[in-house]
Amino acid sequence: MVYENLIFFLVVIVVYSTKVATDPPQVTAAAAAGLFAAKALAFWLLAHRVFRDVRRAAGYFAAQQRLSILAVVLFVVDIYLLGGKYFLAHLPLARQVPVLLNLAGIALYFFYLAMLWLAAGGGYRRLFGGRQTRIGFLKSQVRTNLPVVLPWLILSGLFDLLHLTSIPYLNRIAASRWGEPLALLLFFLLLAVLLPALVHRLWGCTPLPDGPVRRQMEAFCRAQKLQVAGILLWPLFEGQALSAAVMGLTGRFRYILITPGLLRVLTPEELEAVLAHEIGHVKHRHLPLYLVFFMGFGLLAHLAADPLTYLAVSSDLFLGLFRIIRPSYENLDLLTSVPLFLALVLYFRYVFGFFMRNFERQADLFAIKATGTGRPLGQALDRIALLSGDIRDLPSWHHFGIGERVRFLEACEDDPHRIRRHDRKVRHMLLGYLLVMTGLSALAWQMPVDTLAHEADGRFAEAVVTSRLEADPRNETWPRLLGDLRAERGQYGPALAAYEQALALASDHPETLNNLAWLLVTAEDPGIRDPARGLTLARKAAQLRPTGYILDTLAHAQWATGDTRGALATERQAIAQDPEKLDYYRRQMERFVAPAKLPPLDQLEGWTP
């Protein structure tokens, strides 16, 4: 479940990070608290019912997965619909120290997981013979999953400290476009080296006692030229879980973890095969490659997040959903963040998952290279599957199913050329990954972000106004605004239709008269252009509201119909009404003068700068 929880936590972090804490909720604090309590109670009752009915190990893990997904959904509801981040931001020092706000958000998600784990504790004892109380099981699950979010919390704290410092050079770097990605890269490199020493303490790991088993494992590591800082007992599920792992990029901070339960069931030959599998991860450099996959997604997300969001917002699908759902402005960030959520889930589920499965297969095959046969590892895997609740044929998105792994081991032992072919396949896929990620990053870098943003803003604003018009069809404001948006984007026919609709609703509204007149006078489409009617509308608008910009429209209409001297006189009235825009009106007058071959402005009667 740790791998599944990794994706769930990443989604939670993205959801929480993209929500603005200052957005007020649509419900009162009392209503939000009541709905939150009702959801929590329903989740608690559901979790207990689900785990009460579980009868097999496979069903237990499936129930954990489904309820974890539901916990993510409930968290999203809390943050986006109930104003969770807004209320959490009112905790003491939460606004001043963002890491505290992030910690509060993660604690909210852990609250749902805690209910899940408390409910799962009974099923764990019944199915796996555990001795932990529900509280003990809960504590062990928190310790197991906490390292998944520790990097984010530590990084948030470091950024808080950086923003509090008065070192101009560091602050300039942090504020630059590449400041955050560079800081993330340096941080993850440091964390990848040092985190194993912290994690094994958090998990309660202890050194494997001296004895024949430890000496056998140490001798095997020496024979494979593997440096480790320690071989540790891993008390996962009270030590009854049948698992092993390797952590750490360097020998000084590298640890081999193995559960007591696995040690009890393996023969010496099978133990060496399992150990060879873990060493295979190191020899094939899978651990630094995992770091590459994380940083690859981070880099691509940094470069592509804005263009992807703008493209999504401009799409007909998004705008159609917006018109159907009509979310509040406070929750638009959830809708616009959907592409990033999907990209994250798809990347880690399918891209990262693909390489994880094939890395596990590479590590399995290293056992054949190291021990000369794959039979001990196959036997160990079969025994693990049987003792874990007969999960041999249970599919896995990150490891392959145990049955698949055993069959592949047997096939490779019969045909050793398969090993080289698989290694070559992984190398080629890694090269393809690097080429694709480089290409996508270059494409994202070259995308015209400003143009995409302008197009997205225009189309989205039009969708908002259209939605308001559908809800309030008798209000002249909405078709007029719709006409403004369309005219700005050069959609003269639809703009004219919108202005006509607004004029039909309010025939004496000066704004509508002025904007329609401007369209008729300035439209580049000769089928739309109608200066004579534009002059009539502009005169009526100026009579109703003789402001500078309306008088400018009238002047433009006069000039377009051949009355240049009248246009100059009207522009002088506009200057008198709005002297702050003198430079603009002067440019307009110079524009009027040039085609008519009149004297320069300073020689015209009545002109004063």
Side-chain angles (χ1 to χ4, degrees):
M1 278 299 295
V2 175
Y3 294 110
E4 284 85 356
N5 284 343
L6 170 65
I7 295 181
F8 300 148
F9 274 111
L10 287 173
V11 171
V12 164
I13 289 172
V14 170
V15 166
Y16 195 68
S17 300
T18 53
K19 178 62 177 175
V20 180
T22 55
D23 289 343
Q26 296 176 277
V27 296
T28 64
L35 291 171
F36 172 78
K39 287 194 302 83
L41 178 61
F43 183 72
W44 168 264
L45 295 174
L46 175 64
H48 275 271
R49 178 175 179 178
V50 168
F51 283 107
R52 187 176 63 244
D53 296 336
V54 168
R55 296 291 180 264
R56 299 182 60 202
Y60 174 87
F61 293 118
Q64 270 201 317
Q65 184 183 62
R66 288 193 295 268
L67 288 171
S68 295
I69 294 173
L70 180 57
V72 173
V73 173
L74 295 178
F75 177 82
V76 172
V77 170
D78 288 337
I79 298 302
Y80 278 94
L81 299 183
L82 301 186
K85 194 169 184 178
Y86 175 83
F87 292 120
L88 291 175
H90 286 78
L91 294 173
L93 298 178
R95 292 186 185 273
Q96 293 79 6
V97 187
V99 68
L100 296 179
L101 183 58
N102 293 338
L103 183 61
I106 287 298
L108 175 61
Y109 179 58
F110 265 105
F111 168 75
Y112 288 110
L113 292 182
M115 288 192 289
L116 187 162
W117 291 328
L118 285 171
Y124 161 72
R125 288 195 303 274
R126 184 176 67 255
L127 293 173
F128 303 105
R131 297 182 300 276
Q132 287 179 328
T133 63
R134 290 182 185 269
I135 299 299
F137 182 77
L138 169 63
K139 290 179 179 178
S140 69
Q141 290 297 303
V142 172
R143 286 196 301 269
T144 299
N145 287 276
L146 194 57
V148 178
V149 296
L150 269 180
W152 179 59
L153 293 175
I154 295 173
L155 184 63
S156 298
L158 290 178
F159 270 107
D160 288 352
L161 291 175
L162 182 61
H163 290 147
L164 291 174
T165 62
S166 58
I167 305 175
Y169 179 72
L170 290 178
N171 288 330
R172 282 198 302 272
I173 293 178
S176 68
R177 183 179 183 185
W178 288 102
E180 185 176 342
L182 180 61
L184 282 171
L185 175 61
L186 296 175
F187 170 75
F188 273 112
L189 287 174
L190 180 64
L191 200 65
V193 173
L194 301 178
L195 188 62
L198 172 64
V199 169
H200 85 73
R201 289 178 172 82
L202 195 63
W203 285 351
C205 299
T206 57
L208 179 65
D210 189 26
V213 173
R214 182 183 181 91
R215 288 193 289 271
Q216 177 193 4
M217 295 178 71
E218 290 175 338
F220 190 80
C221 289
R222 286 193 298 270
Q224 299 300 322
K225 297 182 173 60
L226 180 77
Q227 180 187 357
V228 295
I231 300 175
L232 308 176
L233 287 175
W234 186 11
L236 184 63
F237 285 102
E238 300 178 86
Q240 296 187 71
L242 306 178
S243 187
V246 60
M247 295 191 306
L249 295 180
T250 65
R252 186 176 179 183
F253 296 99
R254 181 181 296 127
Y255 298 90
I256 299 289
L257 277 60
I258 189 164
T259 61
L262 188 58
L263 284 177
R264 285 194 296 269
V265 303
L266 296 181
T267 66
E269 293 78 13
E270 292 167 353
L271 176 60
E272 286 192 353
V274 170
L275 189 55
H277 169 93
E278 302 304 333
I279 294 173
H281 284 302
V282 179
K283 296 295 184 180
H284 286 291
R285 298 180 177 83
H286 293 160
L287 303 183
L289 285 172
Y290 286 144
L291 184 62
V292 169
F293 292 127
F294 274 97
M295 294 308 302
F297 179 80
L299 173 63
L300 188 59
H302 177 74
L303 292 174
D306 286 343
L308 188 64
T309 300
Y310 296 142
L311 287 171
V313 170
S314 300
S315 68
D316 292 334
L317 175 61
F318 175 89
L319 297 175
L321 286 174
F322 175 83
R323 284 192 287 268
I324 294 172
I325 300 173
R326 295 184 182 178
S328 67
Y329 289 110
E330 295 80 9
N331 293 320
L332 282 177
D333 41 7
L334 174 62
L335 202 55
T336 56
S337 297
V338 167
L340 183 58
F341 299 155
L342 291 177
L344 184 148
V345 172
L346 292 174
Y347 178 88
F348 282 97
R349 174 61 179 84
Y350 293 103
V351 178
F352 190 59
F354 169 82
F355 282 103
M356 286 187 73
R357 291 193 302 274
N358 284 280
F359 286 175
E360 288 297 323
R361 184 162 279 179
Q362 264 192 317
D364 285 347
L365 298 180
F366 184 83
I368 297 178
K369 300 177 186 178
T371 64
T373 176
R375 285 191 298 276
L377 181 59
Q379 292 167 0
L381 291 172
D382 276 332
R383 188 173 294 113
I384 290 170
L386 180 63
L387 296 176
S388 298
D390 194 17
I391 60 171
R392 192 177 195 273
D393 296 321
L394 184 69
S396 171
W397 67 270
H398 54 81
H399 273 66
F400 284 118
I402 288 179
E404 293 178 271
R405 293 171 64 182
V406 172
R407 288 190 292 272
F408 192 74
L409 275 171
E410 293 170 347
C412 289
E413 186 152 18
D414 293 338
D415 181 8
H417 294 294
R418 285 175 173 263
I419 299 176
R420 289 193 295 273
R421 287 200 295 270
H422 184 72
D423 289 342
R424 187 164 58 248
K425 168 191 170 183
V426 172
R427 287 195 299 270
H428 290 165
M429 294 305 296
L430 284 171
L431 178 61
Y433 169 84
L434 292 175
L435 291 175
V436 169
M437 292 298 287
T438 302
L440 290 175
S441 298
L443 178 63
W445 176 263
Q446 295 296 326
M447 292 186 79
V449 179
D450 292 340
T451 302
L452 293 174
H454 181 73
E455 176 67 16
D457 288 344
R459 294 206 67 189
F460 179 70
E462 183 174 337
V464 172
V465 173
T466 302
S467 175
R468 297 295 184 267
L469 178 58
E470 291 171 354
D472 188 11
R474 305 303 301 170
N475 190 332
E476 171 274 341
T477 302
W478 305 124
R480 172 166 47 83
L481 291 178
L482 190 59
D484 293 345
L485 292 168
R486 290 171 174 174
E488 183 182 356
R489 296 166 61 198
Q491 298 175 344
Y492 300 118
L496 176 61
Y499 285 140
E500 296 287 12
Q501 182 180 358
L503 197 63
L505 292 170
S507 60
D508 291 333
H509 197 290
E511 293 289 341
T512 303
L513 292 165
N514 175 76
N515 296 1
L516 177 54
W518 184 264
L519 175 70
L520 295 173
V521 171
T522 62
E524 298 175 3
D525 185 349
I528 301 296
R529 191 177 174 88
D530 187 353
R533 185 186 177 208
L535 178 60
T536 302
L537 296 172
R539 280 177 174 159
K540 186 175 182 181
Q543 290 171 357
L544 293 168
R545 186 182 296 171
T547 56
Y549 68 93
I550 291 180
L551 290 169
D552 175 59
T553 301
L554 175 57
H556 209 98
Q558 289 171 315
W559 171 70
T561 54
D563 184 9
T564 302
R565 292 188 180 275
L568 293 173
T570 303
E571 286 290 3
R572 285 195 289 271
Q573 295 178 41
I575 292 172
Q577 292 291 328
D578 191 7
E580 292 183 358
K581 294 183 179 179
L582 171 63
D583 291 340
Y584 168 77
Y585 295 131
R586 182 184 176 89
R587 289 194 299 272
Q588 286 285 79
M589 295 174 76
E590 290 173 345
R591 180 183 179 191
F592 300 158
V593 166
K597 299 182 180 179
L598 294 176
L601 287 179
D602 54 6
Q603 298 179 22
L604 287 175
E605 181 182 356
W607 163 253
T608 54

